[in-house]
Amino acid sequence: FGSKEDMASEAGTFVSWLRSARPAEPGQEVMVPGDPERRTRAERLANGVPLPQGTWDAIAATAARFGLAVA
């Protein structure tokens, strides 16, 4: 496989080649494995993890049961 740098370079070249393909949906981008997960991670780091109201209510009720304040 060569050096770590060689492997990284080859992988980068391959990903660039994949991204240059025609997208399945016109106007969309070609994504590679990990792209959706990286976007979700960035979104959640910036804005928090979305929770349904019922889930948050259950967490708050459990916290209250143990005498913890919920902000």
Side-chain angles (χ1 to χ4, degrees):
F1 290 111
S3 69
K4 181 179 178 181
E5 292 77 20
D6 291 339
M7 186 66 180
S9 176
E10 287 296 320
T13 299
F14 182 66
V15 168
S16 294
W17 175 76
L18 286 172
R19 290 185 192 279
S20 72
R22 182 172 35 100
E25 296 287 330
Q28 298 295 314
E29 66 181 304
V30 175
M31 296 199 305
V32 297
D35 283 350
E37 293 82 4
R38 280 185 285 278
R39 286 185 182 164
T40 298
R41 177 178 168 76
E43 170 68 24
R44 289 182 176 175
L45 285 171
N47 301 309
V49 177
L51 289 176
Q53 188 61 48
T55 301
W56 179 249
D57 292 343
I59 291 170
T62 301
R65 199 169 65 231
F66 289 97
L68 302 172
V70 177

